[in-house]
Amino acid sequence: MSVVPSPTPSPHAAVAPPPPRAGGAGPAATLARLTYAWNNSPQLGWRTVRRLYDSAPRPVPVTVSRVESGHPSIAYLGLPQGRANILQLLEQQRSRTSPGPIRRESGRTRLRELAADHWPDADLVVVGAHARLLEHLPTAGSLTAPFRVHLVVDVPTSVEELDRRISRRERWEFRRNQREHHWTLEEDSSPEAFDFFYRTMHAPTMSRRHGERSRTESPSVARHAILRHGTLMFVTSAGVRVAGVLCHWSPDRRTLTTRLLGVRDGDQRHYEEGAFKAVYHLLLRWARENRVDHVDFFGTEAFLSKGIFQWKRKFGPRVVLPPNHFSDKRIRLHVRRDTPQVRDFLVANPLLALEPGPGGPVLVPTYFTDSARPPRTDISARCPGLPEPRFVDLDAFLTDVDSAVAAPDPEAVAPGARA
């Protein structure tokens, strides 16, 4: 494979909120709103245009990520968003056993090259594409999962039922911390409040928690698109704003989606004291008091081992496909080499696979295992509506992998890949 090295790079009626603020005017505000709609709108028109664009036949980027010898190499190819989402997550999970420096190699290919058995030279190959485009790829040693999932809490009418849905440990920690800090939730969607939130909470939090892996909405998109149809909440302690969350209303005003969060100055102390977690507890209570039907904790990758999935799961959310263009996008995980390290990685990273169902695709918690590696059921998938886990025997799953591995095509990911 010819590649070019690149540098290493995270059941009750809803009460309608106040009407949308006028927001900004002019080209910058218009561009911000169009950008947000392109990436997030649930409207059929936007989703259709986005599907046509993302499914158009064209060369796609390929990135191969390597660490020291003996640890799995991972290739991602397809939709560009997957390089920042899927690949970075898998690199992070791999770093738990291989903390050494990452080497990345980049190129381009076409999905038809995979169907012709011309693969990037990697132990694991992840393809991100519209579901329809994956139908023509080989299936041996592979598994399909959603590109992203959303975690949505259906807000009950009583505070007692809300508490019962939250894990016992999480409830105990919040009550203990609340007795000390006396947190309250304050709504303030003024331009001044937004500037304070973005500058002193969200931006420093993203920088300190994720560094170069940080990805978020620009200030312009957050102000002119999210806030314009949303609201801004602050967690306060003794009159001081210590954390905040910018939310967006669904078009029918029944669902409030958390979009941008942060703690003051990105200070680790606010995590240790529980202020960041208090955002979710207090927001759910506010939603119940204001008769909001659903609170959407927004998107994450479909790997159960991701920390944010495990933490948000404690609030009892349903796991659903996203309402926007990501609902039709998938990842296909292909195992290209059966090695002990690849098996270790698969077992350590169970995921939500997509299987056909009578009413459409069904999310199924999927755990890998073999005679020497018990399934990691300690990484729980327990959420309302999810079926019982499926356990995949690696010996059977990887039966054809060794014979399926072909020598890498020298043009498969070269910048001038053939059509």
Side-chain angles (χ1 to χ4, degrees):
M1 177 184 69
S2 176
V3 294
V4 179
S6 63
T8 301
S10 172
H12 44 269
V15 173
R21 290 165 292 280
T30 300
L31 178 60
R33 289 192 276 271
L34 289 173
T35 299
Y36 188 80
W38 175 252
N39 290 318
N40 297 280
S41 177
Q43 295 179 3
L44 180 61
W46 280 107
R47 290 176 57 178
T48 300
V49 174
R50 186 64 191 260
R51 173 178 56 80
L52 293 172
Y53 175 81
D54 288 334
S55 300
R58 63 168 71 89
V60 296
V62 183
T63 302
V64 180
S65 172
R66 307 184 191 280
V67 289
E68 62 186 52
S69 177
H71 294 275
S73 54
I74 304 170
Y76 173 81
L77 63 94
L79 295 166
Q81 301 97 322
R83 189 176 188 268
N85 294 345
I86 308 299
L87 182 59
Q88 284 189 5
L89 170 63
L90 295 180
E91 286 177 333
Q92 184 178 28
Q93 303 303 75
R94 182 182 59 188
S95 69
R96 295 177 176 181
T97 57
S98 178
I102 296 172
R103 304 187 312 277
R104 281 186 169 186
E105 302 161 350
S106 300
R108 300 186 76 80
T109 190
R110 292 179 181 268
L111 295 185
R112 65 198 308 177
E113 296 295 324
L114 305 187
D117 209 27
H118 302 144
W119 292 81
D121 181 20
D123 300 320
L124 298 167
V125 178
V126 181
V127 184
H130 190 276
R132 180 177 58 83
L133 299 180
L134 297 178
E135 295 175 355
H136 307 291
L137 298 185
T139 58
S142 72
L143 185 146
T144 301
F147 201 94
R148 290 180 72 74
V149 295
H150 278 215
L151 290 86
V152 180
V153 175
D154 299 320
V155 182
T157 57
S158 71
V159 68
E160 293 79 13
E161 176 61 22
L162 179 60
D163 283 346
R164 279 195 294 269
R165 295 188 183 186
I166 301 172
S167 76
R168 183 178 304 177
R169 174 74 180 183
E170 189 60 39
R171 293 198 312 265
W172 178 83
E173 287 187 355
F174 172 70
R175 289 169 178 166
R176 178 199 62 187
N177 295 333
Q178 175 73 323
R179 286 193 294 269
E180 179 179 353
H181 299 286
H182 306 287
W183 290 307
T184 59
L185 195 67
E186 178 182 74
E187 186 176 14
D188 184 352
S189 299
S190 67
E192 296 78 15
F194 171 81
D195 290 339
F196 172 81
F197 164 76
Y198 200 98
R199 185 181 67 257
T200 68
M201 290 185 175
H202 180 65
T205 295
M206 295 300 291
S207 176
R208 295 188 182 189
R209 301 292 292 186
H210 304 290
E212 292 182 354
R213 296 176 181 266
S214 175
R215 53 187 187 273
T216 186
E217 302 286 3
S218 69
S220 180
V221 169
R223 176 193 294 275
H224 298 301
I226 302 177
L227 183 63
R228 183 171 184 262
H229 294 284
T231 189
L232 180 58
M233 306 279 195
F234 292 96
V235 173
T236 66
S237 177
V240 177
R241 292 173 171 176
V242 295
V245 55
L246 178 62
C247 303
H248 189 268
W249 287 103
S250 62
D252 62 10
R253 306 298 179 90
R254 297 180 60 196
T255 300
L256 189 63
T257 299
T258 60
R259 286 306 325 271
L260 307 185
L261 293 95
V263 297
R264 192 157 188 164
D265 301 322
D267 194 335
Q268 179 63 25
R269 172 173 58 94
H270 297 307
Y271 282 88
E272 296 169 353
E273 293 178 350
F276 184 80
K277 292 183 176 182
V279 170
Y280 290 87
H281 286 273
L282 296 176
L283 184 63
L284 288 175
R285 295 186 176 199
W286 180 92
R288 188 200 65 81
E289 293 166 0
N290 288 271
R291 299 162 61 192
V292 177
D293 285 349
H294 316 285
V295 174
D296 185 342
F297 287 166
F298 202 56
T300 186
E301 290 73 33
F303 287 85
L304 304 178
S305 55
K306 185 170 183 179
I308 197 68
F309 179 94
Q310 285 299 313
W311 184 71
K312 291 180 178 180
R313 187 186 61 78
K314 297 179 181 180
F315 290 88
R318 290 180 293 115
V319 186
V320 299
L321 294 177
N324 53 33
H325 67 94
F326 282 116
S327 65
D328 298 320
K329 291 181 170 63
R330 307 285 185 261
I331 61 169
R332 177 75 65 79
L333 173 65
H334 293 265
V335 181
R336 300 294 299 158
R337 298 190 183 101
D338 181 5
T339 70
Q341 293 80 13
V342 165
R343 291 190 174 217
D344 290 343
F345 184 85
L346 293 172
V347 171
N349 292 281
L351 74 167
L352 293 169
L354 272 173
E355 297 185 356
V362 177
L363 291 165
V364 180
T366 301
Y367 294 79
F368 294 99
T369 183
D370 62 21
S371 59
R373 300 169 178 84
R376 289 292 306 273
T377 53
D378 56 305
I379 305 175
S380 178
R382 189 174 302 149
C383 287
L386 286 183
E388 289 298 309
R390 177 170 68 107
F391 299 99
V392 175
D393 187 301
L394 286 168
D395 293 331
F397 181 68
L398 301 177
T399 297
D400 299 323
V401 165
D402 285 336
S403 60
V405 175
D409 178 12
E411 297 184 35
V413 296
R418 60 179 176 269

